[in-house]
Amino acid sequence: MLKLVHIPYGSEHPYLREPFERFPRDPEEGKKTGIGICVYSATPPERVWVAWKRNNKAESSTDCSLTRKDSEKVCYRAELPPFLKGDKITYRIYTFSKEDKTESKEFSFVVGGWVERGVLESYRLDNGYLHLECSSIEDGDYILIGLMEESSLVLRTVCGRERFNSGDFGKAGKFKGRFPLIDVIEHEDRVIFKSNSFCITVSRFPCLISIDDAEGNIILKEARPARKFVGGGKSTTSGGNSTAGGGKSTAGRVTALSQTFISPGEEGFFGFGERYNGLNQRDKKVDIRVFEKWRNQGDKTYLPVPFFLSSSGYGLYLDTARHLEFDLAASGHGLWSYTARMGEDGIMDTFIFTGMPADILKAFTRFTGRPALPPDWVFGPWMSGNEWNSQKRVMREVAMTLEHDIPATVLVIEAWSDEKNFYIWNDALYEPKASDSPLNQEDFTFPEDGKWPDPGGMIDYLHDLGIRVILWQIPVLKHLSEKDRQHDLDEAYMIKKGYFVKENDGSPYRVRPEWFKGGLVPDFTNSQAASWWLNKRAYLLESMGVDGFKTDGGEHLWGNDLLFSDGRRGDELLNMFPNLYEEAYSRFVKDKKKDNGVIFSRAGFTGAGKYPVHWAGDQESTWEEFRAVLSGILSAGLSGIPFMGWDIGGFSGKLPTAELYIRSSEMAAFCPIMQYHSEFNEHREPVIDRTPWNIAEHTKNPEVLSIYGKYARLRMKLIPYLKIEAGYCTAAGAPLMAPLFFYWPEDKAAWEIEDQYCFGRALLVAPVIHPGETERSVYLPEGKWVDFWTGERIAGGQRITTPAPLDKIPVYRREEAPWISIEEKE
């Protein structure tokens, strides 16, 4: 029997396209549309074609060409001709062979197209805001301009006259100021509006906006009229996506907005969340999309933020959680641009912050939320290994750290529970309970010959040693092929109560990415769902004394039309979901542990710093990944996420060399979180733990152990300093680990340096991030500096070459900055 598959949006993978999709998924005016088809049959059909109609007129047909073939399927593609914006296209797919003829259901789409902003029609002060009205072929645009504070400006673009309501602009305390005009200068081709802080020039034909500061320095200048994408996407009638739901109609409304600005050749762009592919993103395209990329992330990220700092003296934030892309002069011509997906309200708010980088971060985090302060104990060394799947194994590793006099303040246990539920210890005996009645500690018996014979006693023992305990979590109820009574009760209850993220038709969304594929995702916009999910874990915090959770994952959602309890859809919450997940856990832990607990997360979005702490995802044990992590942590810090670490030496692949492990341990001692961790290896030999004793044994280099111990003990001595600096970060929105330009913005050389950083306000760190180096060049900005190791005083404003033997990372202390003396370093 022949099976024909065409799913216009596929699984909605954000980066890969499947052969049975439509190309592009949302057809565009003037461009061809590809119809991808896969046929599953022992005998391929003799002919495959697409019959289509434009605006319900005469039918045409297009034959398909073969694109790929394997043992299971044959794939084809038809190329439909270019259409006009607004055209409604319906189509069916046919196959023919001697044995069979197949006809698909009807599919449809509406062709979208770009429309440029037209002329400036009028302007006025409206409710205290500067209000511009611009024409376009499709309706018009309104632009409102107001001040949040003296050095912060907000532009609201409203696509469509019928959506405009100037009274909404100041609701919910979002915009606390107006635009205090002190002068308006009329010219035939432009109008100039002046306030004490900004000068805004609006050209009339076409409507272009240029923003200068009070000194006449250009902040932003549009290079061409803004464009909006009108129509396109899913139609209200027929067809659609048999996997992802038919979707909500986007025909006839604005679905995207694009603006292009002039960028001087020397302008650098920094931030954008966690970015592994370099600190300065100029000449690159930056995608704002939460995505789980295992190892070698490149231009992908777990934690994007639509905010950047410009070396030209401003910061820019697009207040949206929807997908968008920046082109930072990657396409050349001295221009940068963004293209952003729009919601039904047709509104885009752009915030512009001016001043020094510290001022800009302070203003940005004032709006999006200041980072929260974690407990002091998170700043000590952490231990972790994915194969530590029993109490015996955990106690063995703790005994080793004690034997070698290596301090630790946190121990993460990932393999404490099977993946059926994430709230029951492996091998625990219990009688399953109704899903609305959470299990408590007294409901469990822990067999002496089980993996965890006394988890509560183990946690008490670790606490006596000064070690806190963190347990692994995933925001998915796993899909099981075998029966498990408690899991099945939970799944049935979750479905009955509707506590899950839904497809567009209301059915359960099943995870589409490979990791935890098929599982249910709890809907954290539903407070009852969140309480039900979290209360099952309450006994871990309350009676067992667990100190927090490693809130892994959060990148499980694909699908713009997914439905959430609060009425929002996937396009708005795909990026925001990790924050919803982490916020729920953070509040839960804070409530149970009275501000002395923590979560440890991988993914996130704008404002993720409110839910500390984070780590930089999954890296391979290579020097390239080591350097990428440095960029990732620095970029995240410039985006309001100050407390981030990484897995020393990389957690995956071949064991790191002794040199790589030592150099990364040295840098980790001067990072917000100092942790080693390793991936699951099915308990095969050799053991791939990234503990210093295991690396020392396998590399046959005892220096690994002694040098790691030296830096772990130093880290403990740095905690009083880190407590002060962490407090400063939360008050000012500043990164704990910052590029040099953050504190020396007027030093052009500082903007070029990507391999040094400030650790708090007093320390400058120059890690060795290339193999074989025993000295390195270090740039010391203006000021008085003291070598951290020797006490030698050195004048700033110069580049020096300093010895960097294997046991030494170059570090310098700034005399002018806050500092707490620590004991003599080893």
Side-chain angles (χ1 to χ4, degrees), residues 587-599:
R587 289 182 174 179
F588 179 62
V589 171
K590 184 176 181 179
D591 176 63
K592 302 297 182 184
K593 306 304 292 187
K594 308 305 178 188
D595 292 327
N596 201 30
V598 78
I599 64 170

Side-chain angles (χ1 to χ4, degrees), residues 208-238:
L208 295 171
I209 297 174
S210 178
I211 302 172
D212 300 354
D213 64 20
E215 286 74 42
N217 301 306
I218 297 175
I219 300 171
L220 281 178
K221 184 175 183 179
E222 283 190 302
R224 58 174 68 110
R227 301 189 306 156
K228 54 189 179 183
F229 193 82
V230 179
K234 299 173 180 178
S235 171
T236 54
T237 62
S238 79

Side-chain angles (χ1 to χ4, degrees), residues 2 39 41 43-48 74 76 94-97 100:
L2 182 147
V39 175
S41 175
T43 304
E46 297 176 21
R47 183 189 174 204
V48 181
V74 182
Y76 302 86
Y94 296 87
T95 69
F96 173 79
S97 63
D100 197 10

Side-chain angles (χ1 to χ4, degrees), residues 375 377-378 382 410-414 416 422 425 459 463 468-473 537 540-542 544-551 585-586 588-590 592-593 596-601 612-613:
W377 46 263
V378 307
W382 294 40
V410 182
L411 188 145
V412 180
I413 308 177
E414 288 206 354
W416 68 281
F422 291 109
W425 293 85
I459 293 169
H463 283 172
R468 307 289 178 148
V469 178
I470 305 294
L471 301 182
W472 193 49
Q473 293 286 284
R537 293 144 177 84
L540 297 167
L541 302 173
E542 292 174 334
M544 280 203 157
V546 170
D547 299 286
F549 295 108
K550 182 173 182 177
T551 38
Y585 268 82
S586 182
F588 179 62
V589 171
K590 184 176 181 179
K592 302 297 182 184
K593 306 304 292 187
N596 201 30
V598 78
I599 64 170
F600 188 39
S601 308
V613 291

Side-chain angles (χ1 to χ4, degrees), residues 26 28 42 71 74 148 181 213 250 371 417 423 457 502 504 519 562 708 733 757 770:
D26 296 318
E28 184 176 336
S71 59
V74 182
M148 284 204 308
L181 278 175
D213 64 20
T250 55
S417 175
Y423 64 88
K502 300 174 179 63
N504 184 63
L562 300 181
Y708 180 87
Y757 60 90
H770 296 275

Side-chain angles (χ1 to χ4, degrees), residues 631-651:
S631 294
I633 298 175
L634 290 174
S635 297
L638 292 174
S639 308
I641 300 100
F643 307 121
M644 178 177 281
W646 71 299
D647 300 331
I648 291 170
F651 103 124

Side-chain angles (χ1 to χ4, degrees), residues 230-279:
V230 179
K234 299 173 180 178
S235 171
T236 54
T237 62
S238 79
N241 189 330
S242 61
T243 295
K248 191 169 185 178
S249 174
T250 55
R253 72 171 178 86
V254 175
T255 58
L257 178 69
S258 180
Q259 285 187 279
T260 302
F261 303 91
I262 293 171
S263 175
E266 70 278 5
E267 183 178 16
F269 302 91
F270 304 83
F272 301 102
E274 167 195 66
R275 294 291 158 183
Y276 303 93
N277 60 340
L279 192 56

